[in-house]
Amino acid sequence: MSDAIDLNRLPPAEECIRDVRAWLAERPAQPLAYLHSFGCQLNAADSEKLAGILAAMGYGRTDDPAAASLILYNTCAVRENAEDRVFGTLGSIKRLKTDNPALILCVTGCMTAQESVAEKIRKSYPYVDIVIGSSAVQRLAQMLWAHMHGMRHAWDIETYTDIPEGVPTVRDSTFKAAVPIMYGCNNFCTYCIVPYVRGRERSRDPQQILDEVRGLIADGYKEIMLLGQNVNSYRGNAEIPDFPALLREIDRIPGDYWIRFMSSHPKDASPALMDALLECSHLARHLHLPVQSGSDEILRRMNRRYTTAQYLEKVAYIRAKDPHFSLTTDLIVGFPDESEADFEATLDIVRRVRYDNMYSFIYSRRTGTKAAQMEDPVTDAEKSARMGRLLALQREIAVENNKRFVGRVMRVLCDGTAKKHPGHVTGRSSENMLVEFPGDAALIGSFADVRITESHSGALTGIRITDEG
Ligand code: SAM
Ligand code: SF4
Ligand code: F3S
């Protein structure tokens, strides 16, 4: 039977969903699926679609892999440790497959788009049943259909470039929603695997985005995160040509909600984008602007296409209009041949911009990228020591920065309870600051006005103004 199945000629996804659903309905109990997403928020957004397709096929969900009849991993390839985690997980799951040969094990996401990884899975983890290439959420039902029709290994590592519209979606939250607006990347930063595993940039139709955002706001969502590897290179149509225009159009939708977006490439962070950010009332007052390095020579070798002077000009533009505007960044420590002077230039830019938060990573060599060919005499010990220095500096800056919020009333979107402080609620301010205050879990999912009474390096604490004596 399996020989007769041609993966390029599978029935349409809707037909496969119907068939698999009918097939599963014959089981004595509802089969459960375990879905785990590694990596970035774009992967998490893809996983919400995978969850939607699983639900449409009739699967229930479980947090326990041992209770599942289908296990699906959505993988990340951005750094070696991300891949190692996936391989470790695949190794540990073998026992479940041995105990229950009917268990269906699927792998999708960015790792599968690399031929070498696919080969490793084929050789070292032959018990993986289904492999689906990155950006191919809509292939899940079809590949499952092929497997259920006797194809022992249903493998398709193609990176798909069509934009998934109308795919059933099960969202993780009832008040924060991720909305991808573009997929892929054309920038080819020399250290980065993403353009190779996610393909070229493609933008969603602006009307589709607006309809989705309108629907989410009508459903009571309080925070919409617009996502793309490089959101500000979004290209729309004649009426809504670019990202600043899209932001202004979304901002016109009435309602009580915040809009955030990630990530912006500094080369495309135009004055028009920053003006939209400052002028639109629904836009959160925070910009994540990954600088990666403070050394012009390293930025050139990273192919980032901006200089530190150009980056600082953008920071000055926004801070001239709002001196306290919140900026966060990504930084890579130990790019090949990073000298002590290069690293000190990174410390210097961090001191100048005074970020509220940063995500810093030790450079990880990615096979297939340009930087993988570069000489790298810097030792791992030196890289770790530099990372320690960078983190210490950032902690110092955060402690100082956070003092500016004490005494202010901040609007906070409540998102959880404080694990260490029973009876306290946590949330994020418009500036994306973590805020904790005494409150009831019933507040989760709503806005609260909190007067900040104390600041720490990683969080602010306060009291709701309605609770003030
Ligand atoms: N498109 C986004 C941008 O350019 O800001 C970043 C997307 S990437 C998934 C997130 C972060 O991972 C990057 O900003 C970079 O700091 C880090 N990163 C990417 N490749 C890396 C590598 N090979 N080693 C270490 N960090 C890396
Ligand atoms: Fe990677 Fe650079 Fe694209 Fe970001 S902009 S995804 S770092 S290649
Ligand atoms: Fe990882 Fe792919 Fe995102 S490589 S960071 S999951 S785009």
Side-chain angles (χ1 to χ4, degrees):
M1 176 83 186
S2 67
D3 290 346
I5 297 174
D6 177 352
L7 287 179
N8 294 315
R9 291 165 175 268
L10 294 173
E14 303 72 44
E15 205 174 309
C16 293
I17 289 177
R18 268 198 311 277
D19 274 9
V20 175
R21 190 177 179 87
W23 200 67
L24 295 179
E26 289 168 13
R27 307 262 176 100
Q30 186 191 30
L32 301 178
Y34 171 87
L35 166 60
H36 186 83
S37 194
F38 296 86
C40 65
Q41 297 184 54
L42 272 163
N43 242 25
D46 277 353
S47 288
E48 293 188 332
K49 294 192 171 69
L50 294 168
I53 296 169
L54 288 170
M57 290 188 295
Y59 279 100
R61 285 285 287 282
T62 176
D63 290 336
D64 175 10
S69 40
L70 181 145
I71 293 179
L72 172 55
Y73 293 113
N74 194 9
T75 62
C76 170
V78 76
R79 283 171 289 277
E80 195 178 5
N81 58 7
E83 289 196 352
D84 288 348
R85 265 202 300 277
V86 173
F87 285 129
T89 309
L90 287 180
S92 68
I93 226 77
K94 181 178 184 189
R95 184 184 47 82
L96 295 179
K97 187 76 179 166
T98 314
D99 292 351
N100 173 17
L103 170 68
I104 302 171
L105 185 50
C106 319
V107 179
T108 185
C110 294
M111 267 173 79
T112 59
Q114 302 167 92
E115 191 52 59
S116 60
V117 172
E119 201 44 45
K120 182 166 172 182
I121 297 178
R122 219 185 288 269
K123 279 209 181 106
S124 308
Y125 308 90
Y127 47 90
V128 172
D129 301 292
I130 297 176
V131 175
I132 309 169
S134 79
S135 314
V137 289
Q138 64 279 44
R139 285 288 268 176
L140 174 61
Q142 292 171 307
M143 300 297 277
L144 210 50
W145 184 96
H147 182 69
M148 285 175 173
H149 281 79
M151 194 171 211
R152 171 69 192 84
H153 284 112
W155 292 65
D156 177 5
I157 58 166
E158 191 83 16
T159 297
Y160 284 80
T161 52
D162 45 336
I163 292 182
E165 295 293 358
V167 178
T169 301
V170 173
R171 294 191 183 272
D172 293 339
S173 162
T174 52
F175 57 94
K176 285 185 182 189
V179 174
I181 63 163
M182 53 91 65
Y183 297 89
C185 182
N186 292 350
N187 288 322
F188 289 94
C189 302
T190 55
Y191 51 81
C192 185
I193 197 74
V194 171
Y196 302 92
V197 297
R198 284 274 177 170
R200 296 294 67 73
E201 283 176 8
R202 54 235 182 244
S203 295
R204 280 178 76 191
D205 176 71
Q207 284 313 324
Q208 298 269 7
I209 298 170
L210 286 164
D211 286 350
E212 185 173 347
V213 174
R214 267 189 215 105
L216 290 164
I217 293 165
D219 287 345
Y221 279 85
K222 297 284 180 264
E223 182 178 299
I224 313 288
M225 173 71 92
L226 306 176
L227 290 178
Q229 287 304 344
N230 184 13
V231 277
N232 45 1
S233 67
Y234 174 82
R235 289 291 165 265
N237 57 20
E239 289 81 47
I240 303 176
D242 55 18
F243 188 54
L246 180 69
L247 286 176
R248 288 188 185 272
E249 208 51 42
I250 294 176
D251 186 53
R252 286 203 185 99
I253 303 171
D256 192 14
Y257 63 91
W258 283 340
I259 297 289
R260 297 187 188 276
F261 55 86
M262 257 182 89
S263 274
S264 314
H265 194 297
K267 78 174 164 52
D268 301 318
S270 60
L273 170 71
M274 292 189 271
D275 288 344
L277 191 51
L278 290 158
E279 290 162 20
C280 294
S281 62
H282 291 106
L283 277 171
R285 295 189 82 77
H286 164 229
L287 178 62
H288 184 66
L289 201 58
V291 66
Q292 311 298 358
S293 170
S295 151
D296 284 330
E297 173 55 17
I298 296 284
L299 287 176
R300 192 188 61 73
R301 289 201 282 118
M302 284 179 163
N303 190 32
R304 288 294 285 180
R305 288 178 272 182
Y306 53 82
T307 61
T308 49
Q310 287 164 334
Y311 184 93
L312 288 169
E313 237 172 68
K314 290 166 200 270
V315 171
Y317 185 93
I318 206 155
R319 291 261 170 86
K321 300 193 177 192
D322 178 350
H324 293 304
F325 198 89
S326 178
L327 292 168
T328 55
T329 202
D330 290 352
L331 274 162
I332 295 179
V333 171
F335 184 79
D337 207 13
E338 179 194 64
S339 66
E340 173 62 23
D342 291 322
F343 175 66
E344 279 179 15
T346 292
L347 296 179
D348 189 51
I349 205 163
V350 169
R351 274 188 210 104
R352 281 168 176 236
V353 181
R354 305 188 64 78
Y355 296 103
D356 278 323
N357 199 359
M358 71 165 59
Y359 300 90
S360 43
F361 310 99
I362 292 189
Y363 168 75
S364 170
R365 192 177 161 278
R366 305 282 65 212
T367 308
T369 61
K370 277 205 174 145
Q373 315 289 332
M374 297 178 188
E375 295 284 315
D376 190 8
V378 186
T379 63
D380 288 351
E382 177 56 34
K383 292 182 185 194
S384 299
R386 285 179 189 169
M387 178 60 107
R389 287 162 66 195
L390 177 63
L391 293 176
L393 172 64
Q394 179 55 29
R395 241 189 324 273
E396 221 176 85
I397 291 173
V399 167
E400 276 305 307
N401 272 4
N402 291 353
K403 289 182 184 161
R404 76 186 191 276
F405 296 111
V406 175
R408 267 174 62 177
V409 174
M410 297 176 90
R411 193 148 200 248
V412 173
L413 178 57
C414 308
D415 57 10
T417 50
K419 290 189 180 55
K420 287 192 191 149
H421 301 115
H424 284 60
V425 171
T426 58
R428 293 268 167 188
S429 72
S430 171
E431 298 82 356
N432 210 30
M433 300 302 301
L434 179 61
V435 179
E436 195 184 305
F437 58 97
D440 193 88
L443 285 168
I444 295 172
S446 60
F447 288 111
D449 289 323
V450 178
R451 188 181 307 282
I452 304 304
T453 51
E454 272 179 56
S455 67
H456 315 272
S457 67
L460 306 170
T461 50
I463 183 159
R464 268 173 92 199
I465 52 172
T466 48
D467 294 340
E468 283 178 328

